[in-house]
Structures are given as C-alpha cells and as structure tokens.
Amino acid sequence: MASPGLAVRDATTLDVPSITALHAHEADTGVSAYECLAPSEAEMAKRWQASVQQGFPYLVAELDGQFAGYAYASSYRAREGYRWTVEDTVYVLPAARGRGVGIALLRSLIDVCTRLGYRQMIAVIGDGTSTGSIALHERLGFLAAGVFPGMGWKHGRWLDNVQMLLPLGAGRGAPPDRA
C-alpha cells in the first residue's frame, strides 16, 4: 500500500548525493549491486547524466518530501537489435521499505518506458534470496525468465542471478513503432 506523501519525479543533480549514499549501502551490504566497492559521487553523477542523455528515465521517490529511493531504465545490451529492451533498476532506502516506494517507482518506470516505445523490460535480480525484489516484480506482472546459478561472487559466496521479463505495449506481438 502506498504511503500518503509518496511522490515520484525525475531525478535531478540535487539527488545525486542521496542516490550515491543508497547505492553505496547496497554495494557494501547487499547483493543487488554486484559492485564490491561503492562508486564515488562523481562517478554516480556521470552515470546519471549519461543515462539521461541517452534518453532513459531516471526517477526518484520521496516520502513527505524526503528522498526514499530511486529507479532507472538502461539498455539491456549494447547491440542494436536489443534497442527495444530495457533493464530496470530499483533501490529503496531500508527505512522506506514496505511503504509502497518500490512499487510506485517501478510502476512509474514501466509507464515511462512504455510511452517511449520500449517493448520488453528485464529485471536482473542480484540473488535468488532477494525475495522482496522478486515479489515486487511479480506484483507488476513480470514473469520468471531464468536463473543463472553462481553468476557473481560477493560477501564470500556465489550469487545466483534471477532474470524476469515484462512485455511493454504490444511486446513482441508487433514490430516497433519506429525503426
């Protein structure tokens, strides 16, 4: 259930410090980010700017005017044939989990990507034990597409990589609107 005072908007330069801190927390303690060393604020600013310049949505959620999480879409793969497929990324502050932030961010991201003409969204979930992330994606219609066992090594163990898929718009049922 969404909390009162929950808003989703486009990220701005002013959000980069909060985005960096949340990403650092995930890189240091979690299995969502396969980075073992947290990137600097300058690096995160570069990533945000590159994403926006490429036309991908990059969103922030606020609870009562305070940063609560972020989400963005990126290219699934670099090859031209994949240009209609995006990968989603969603991070929510631990204190904001269970308050509708993740679903609001992901629903908004899906809506924007659909309007932009993308046809598939892929969730690449860092580990099979990430049941909250899996449940979030299932709630919005993502289907399991595969599990890659032992794809990454972090925190002294091998991590499975779960991939889920959501068709957008006409999905693969029709050619894209633009070439």
Side-chain angles (χ1 to χ4, degrees):
M1 170 177 241
S3 297
L6 175 61
V8 175
R9 60 171 175 75
D10 290 334
T12 71
T13 305
L14 297 175
D15 296 308
V16 172
S18 296
I19 290 168
T20 302
L22 177 51
H23 189 81
H25 172 77
E26 291 298 326
D28 293 343
T29 66
V31 294
S32 298
Y34 272 33
E35 291 175 300
C36 296
L37 296 174
S40 68
E41 190 173 311
E43 174 60 25
M44 291 300 289
K46 258 197 283 188
R47 292 179 188 184
W48 164 74
Q49 192 163 43
S51 181
V52 171
Q53 286 175 345
Q54 292 172 36
F56 292 111
Y58 209 115
L59 308 173
V60 162
E62 293 181 333
L63 276 172
D64 300 321
Q66 299 299 313
F67 177 87
Y70 71 100
Y72 62 91
S74 58
S75 176
Y76 174 66
R77 303 279 306 261
R79 303 274 190 255
E80 186 178 356
Y82 291 109
R83 71 187 176 279
W84 305 110
T85 302
V86 291
E87 179 179 336
D88 77 89
T89 298
V90 180
Y91 291 113
V92 177
L93 286 174
R97 292 180 186 154
R99 298 183 62 193
V101 173
I103 201 158
L105 280 166
L106 186 52
R107 185 175 282 133
S108 295
L109 195 64
I110 291 166
D111 290 347
V112 173
C113 287
T114 300
R115 281 195 310 270
L116 290 171
Y118 293 105
R119 293 302 186 88
Q120 305 279 356
M121 184 176 280
I122 306 291
V124 180
I125 298 171
D127 192 39
T129 63
S130 299
T131 55
S133 185
I134 293 168
L136 166 66
H137 285 85
E138 286 175 339
R139 276 186 70 190
L140 291 176
F142 284 76
L143 299 174
V147 176
F148 298 91
M151 284 294 284
W153 176 263
K154 191 170 177 185
H155 303 309
R157 66 185 177 100
W158 288 106
L159 303 174
D160 294 347
N161 185 268
V162 176
Q163 295 203 6
M164 301 179 79
L165 172 68
L166 178 70
L168 302 176
R172 61 188 177 106
D177 297 332
R178 52 189 161 74

